[in-house]
Amino acid sequence: MDKDFAFIIHPISLQDMYRKFPVLQKVPKSMLNGLIKNLPAIKVSEINGVESGYNKTSGYFVGCTLTSEQMVNLPEKFVLKKIIQSGKLAQKLGAKIVGLGAMTSVVGDAGITVAKNLSIPVTTGNSYTVASALEGTQKAATIMGHDFENAEITIIGATGSIGGLVSRSLATKAKNINLVARNEERLHNLAEKIYFETKNSVRISDDFKKTLRKSDILISVSGSVDHLIEPDDLKPGAIVCDVARPRDVSKQVQEKRDDVLVIEGGVIEVPGDVNFNFNFGFPQKTAYACMAETMILSLEKKYENFTLGRDLSIEQLDEISSLAAKHGFKLAGFRSFERALTEKEILKIKDNATLNSLNLEKCAVRV
């Protein structure tokens, strides 16, 4: 039976493959790497029960058999071919639109080449990812007691498609914005664009670690395969919204810093009695925002390319936010390191931050 949409997923690391297929534990990593990159695209599961007050839809998860590391390190042409093959499987299954998940939305030109090679529309889901990350970060800042407008806010990976839109949107809401990315020329271009749009003079960081240590709020969307943020990089009370997959925040931050709040961007409650028939680590009836964007467009029967490329628009951000509200998609609370986080736990982090800040001040006086 044809479904309305498909969403392309892939293993984040080889550990995902070992977890899903325990029999592979006996296969050496080098051999498994070679094996999976030569596997064809696969239908992972059917998605049923997505229903709003206006429409209902169903779809598929389609698997692109490359890990994040392979997507970064293998030749781009090879990786794009694998993603396109996954999109063609979605076409064959009858999908009317396909969404690109995780690194499949980052490789190359962020979906444009993929869309040119398919006969169904494509979206990366990045517009709704940005919308939900901004909403979640602002809510977290309120609970942690930060004055969002005057807080020191840093965007890591600012020149990427998600980072750019996050930066431009935040510049309309906050005064103290720091942009961090590897390419200095692109950083300057983004800063100029933001000033032209908002008259807000954002700062470009030339000292990554120093900028992290002074930030109250960080939104991290780097697209790096390695952890960028370690325990000593953050000050007490800092909030990190880690949108990146693989994550930018080291697991050690959770283990060593009880005074820092790390949240995952874009965890969305999906309307209806939805069943993904696949465990990707989220509670039932919740999904990543990028997945949700594909479902929203399908519910709206908006079968056209939506979020593509690296120059995302504020207009699309506003449109997808409006459509999400119309169909009943909403933030599903907070998650941190793949588990739900209660408001009580966040308030405990806030108390720890206050205590540790006082201790730091006493140490400073002794010196």
Side-chain angles (χ1 to χ4, degrees), residues 9 13 35 46 55 101-102 117-118 126 144 168 187 216 221 244 254 258 261 264 295-296 312 336:
I9 58 177
S13 67
L35 175 66
E46 296 187 6
N55 203 355
N117 284 274
L118 298 179
N126 285 343
M144 289 287 285
R168 291 166 58 206
L187 275 175
D216 302 304
V221 288
Q254 180 194 37
D258 62 1
L261 174 62
E264 298 168 356
M295 298 174 206
I296 293 165
L312 308 185
S336 182

Side-chain angles (χ1 to χ4, degrees), residues 245-317:
R245 289 295 176 276
R247 66 176 72 253
D248 285 338
V249 181
S250 163
K251 183 78 172 175
Q252 288 192 326
V253 173
Q254 180 194 37
E255 296 165 353
K256 296 184 177 180
R257 296 297 302 268
D258 62 1
D259 59 350
V260 165
L261 174 62
V262 179
I263 58 174
E264 298 168 356
V267 181
I268 301 298
E269 182 179 322
V270 179
D273 190 21
V274 62
N275 187 348
F276 294 104
N277 292 300
F278 177 71
N279 181 7
F280 49 92
F282 275 29
Q284 288 187 341
K285 302 180 182 181
T286 64
Y288 287 110
C290 53
M291 295 175 182
E293 180 169 308
T294 310
M295 298 174 206
I296 293 165
L297 296 172
S298 181
L299 285 169
E300 191 67 14
K301 295 189 181 299
K302 192 175 175 66
Y303 297 126
E304 57 191 60
N305 291 331
F306 193 72
T307 309
L308 289 181
R310 305 202 181 282
D311 191 16
L312 308 185
S313 73
I314 295 289
E315 290 74 19
Q316 282 183 319
L317 178 68

Side-chain angles (χ1 to χ4, degrees), residues 64-363:
C64 179
T65 53
L66 289 176
T67 65
S68 299
E69 188 173 358
Q70 287 175 322
M71 289 203 179
V72 170
N73 294 326
L74 289 170
E76 184 177 293
K77 188 175 179 180
F78 177 84
V79 176
L80 283 173
K81 184 178 177 182
K82 293 277 288 186
I83 298 170
I84 291 166
Q85 286 174 346
S86 304
K88 288 187 174 177
L89 175 56
Q91 274 181 205
K92 188 177 177 181
L93 290 168
K96 302 180 183 73
I97 187 169
V98 61
L100 305 180
M103 294 297 284
T104 68
S105 67
V106 176
V107 174
D109 49 15
I112 293 174
T113 298
V114 176
K116 286 178 179 174
N117 284 274
L118 298 179
S119 57
I120 57 174
V122 177
T123 187
T124 61
N126 285 343
S127 293
Y128 195 43
T129 294
V130 171
S132 60
L134 291 173
E135 184 182 352
T137 302
Q138 284 189 262
K139 285 186 176 178
T142 300
I143 298 172
M144 289 287 285
H146 289 298
D147 173 3
F148 195 83
E149 183 179 352
N150 294 299
E152 193 84 21
I153 301 176
T154 296
I155 299 97
I156 302 167
T159 56
S161 56
I162 294 177
L165 189 55
V166 165
S167 303
R168 291 166 58 206
S169 182
L170 279 177
T172 66
K173 302 170 183 173
K175 297 175 183 174
N176 303 308
I177 304 288
N178 306 296
L179 306 182
V180 175
R182 292 177 181 170
N183 189 310
E184 192 168 333
E185 182 180 354
R186 290 175 64 183
L187 275 175
H188 279 288
N189 291 339
L190 177 60
E192 288 177 5
K193 184 173 187 175
I194 288 172
Y195 184 77
F196 178 77
E197 291 177 344
T198 68
K199 303 305 177 193
N200 188 350
S201 297
V202 299
R203 291 183 290 273
I204 293 172
S205 172
D206 56 3
D207 188 331
F208 177 62
K209 293 293 184 181
K210 184 178 178 181
T211 303
L212 297 194
R213 292 187 193 109
K214 72 175 184 177
S215 298
D216 302 304
I217 298 168
L218 301 102
I219 299 182
S220 200
V221 288
S222 77
S224 169
V225 295
D226 299 315
H227 296 146
L228 300 178
I229 303 174
E230 300 295 340
D232 291 341
D233 295 333
L234 302 165
K235 71 179 190 181
I239 299 170
V240 186
C241 179
D242 191 357
V243 184
R245 289 295 176 276
R247 66 176 72 253
D248 285 338
V249 181
S250 163
K251 183 78 172 175
Q252 288 192 326
V253 173
Q254 180 194 37
E255 296 165 353
K256 296 184 177 180
R257 296 297 302 268
D258 62 1
D259 59 350
V260 165
L261 174 62
V262 179
I263 58 174
E264 298 168 356
V267 181
I268 301 298
E269 182 179 322
V270 179
D273 190 21
V274 62
N275 187 348
F276 294 104
N277 292 300
F278 177 71
N279 181 7
F280 49 92
F282 275 29
Q284 288 187 341
K285 302 180 182 181
T286 64
Y288 287 110
C290 53
M291 295 175 182
E293 180 169 308
T294 310
M295 298 174 206
I296 293 165
L297 296 172
S298 181
L299 285 169
E300 191 67 14
K301 295 189 181 299
K302 192 175 175 66
Y303 297 126
E304 57 191 60
N305 291 331
F306 193 72
T307 309
L308 289 181
R310 305 202 181 282
D311 191 16
L312 308 185
S313 73
I314 295 289
E315 290 74 19
Q316 282 183 319
L317 178 68
D318 294 339
E319 182 179 7
I320 199 67
S321 298
S322 175
L323 291 176
K326 170 184 172 181
H327 289 287
F329 289 75
K330 58 185 178 183
L331 279 177
F334 296 100
R335 284 175 62 83
S336 182
F337 292 97
E338 299 178 3
R339 73 173 186 85
L341 196 64
T342 66
E343 187 165 327
K344 184 178 179 181
E345 288 175 304
I346 295 176
L347 291 172
K348 177 62 177 174
I349 293 170
K350 180 182 177 184
D351 290 343
N352 292 337
T354 301
L355 183 62
N356 290 348
S357 294
L358 289 173
N359 289 336
L360 285 174
E361 288 177 10
K362 289 177 183 176
C363 290

Side-chain angles (χ1 to χ4, degrees), residues 42-63:
I42 57 172
K43 185 183 84 171
V44 175
S45 71
E46 296 187 6
I47 304 168
N48 298 311
V50 182
E51 184 171 4
S52 75
Y54 296 88
N55 203 355
K56 55 186 176 182
T57 189
S58 58
Y60 296 103
F61 278 132
V62 171

